Amino acid sequence: MTQRFELFCTTINQIHRNLQRIKLKEMEEFGLKAIHVMCLFELNHNPEGLTLTQLTNLCGEDKAAISRAVSELTKRDMVTSNSEKKYRSLITLTEEGKSIAAKIDQKAEAAVIAGSGNLTIEQRNSLYEILTYISNNLDHYLTDDKETE
């Protein structure tokens, strides 16, 4: 059990660190941070716009971090919002944001292909299914734990 826990934790942590390093490396030319990458990526795949709350949930970050990222992206004319209501307004990409988001998509695809190596489509689908299953189980574990406190 100890070896499984150690392998699971160290492998997931290493993957996360590598993803963060890839985001930083690939976005260096734009002066963007990893959190900006995820905001631009999600907004690019939701062209109708997202609220700050929706963006927070999709990026898996806390509201304060996403709020700071959106503020920075707004200052840099990469995103815009349709209202002064901070959490309810729709955030969308500007033309500059769309251009950078398209480059992010290309770089993300290259990273996914590199990470997948020679996995078959079936192996890749199985991997994502299992990761989702584990993630959901851990969410339930945490939710059940909170309910018993």
Side-chain angles (χ1 to χ4, degrees), residues 42-52 54-55 58 80-82 88-93:
E42 291 298 347
L43 288 167
N44 193 42
H45 292 274
N46 293 278
E48 70 285 353
L50 295 168
T51 65
L52 199 56
Q54 291 170 320
L55 194 55
L58 288 170
T80 188
S81 64
N82 66 352
R88 292 191 177 156
S89 65
L90 284 179
I91 302 159
T92 56
L93 292 174

Side-chain angles (χ1 to χ4, degrees), residues 4-144:
R4 276 185 27 209
F5 177 77
E6 181 181 9
L7 178 62
F8 179 79
C9 289
T10 56
T11 304
I12 295 295
N13 282 337
Q14 187 62 41
I15 290 169
H16 182 261
R17 274 195 301 276
N18 285 335
L19 289 172
Q20 294 302 95
R21 289 174 51 211
I22 289 168
K23 289 175 194 174
L24 287 171
K25 176 184 172 235
E26 296 294 351
M27 292 298 105
E28 193 172 41
E29 68 183 281
F30 305 113
L32 297 174
K33 296 179 181 175
I35 194 166
H36 299 132
V37 171
M38 292 312 300
C39 289
L40 292 171
F41 179 86
E42 291 298 347
L43 288 167
N44 193 42
H45 292 274
N46 293 278
E48 70 285 353
L50 295 168
T51 65
L52 199 56
T53 301
Q54 291 170 320
L55 194 55
T56 297
N57 292 335
L58 288 170
C59 292
E61 297 282 347
D62 64 76
K63 266 189 184 174
I66 294 295
S67 183
R68 286 189 300 272
V70 167
S71 179
E72 176 66 23
L73 292 170
T74 301
K75 287 178 193 169
R76 297 184 60 181
D77 194 35
M78 293 181 197
V79 302
T80 188
S81 64
N82 66 352
S83 160
E84 292 297 317
K85 296 177 184 174
K86 192 173 183 178
Y87 291 101
R88 292 191 177 156
S89 65
L90 284 179
I91 302 159
T92 56
L93 292 174
T94 62
E95 289 307 313
E96 174 73 10
K98 288 176 185 176
S99 172
I100 293 173
K103 293 174 184 170
I104 288 171
D105 272 0
Q106 291 171 347
K107 292 173 184 280
E109 186 175 343
V112 169
I113 289 169
S116 296
N118 293 325
L119 292 177
T120 65
I121 292 172
E122 293 80 19
Q123 288 172 319
R124 204 170 32 242
N125 290 341
S126 180
L127 169 68
Y128 294 136
E129 184 179 323
I130 291 167
L131 285 173
T132 301
Y133 179 80
I134 290 170
S135 179
N136 290 339
N137 283 345
L138 293 174
D139 283 342
H140 290 303
Y141 174 81
L142 290 168
T143 303
D144 291 346

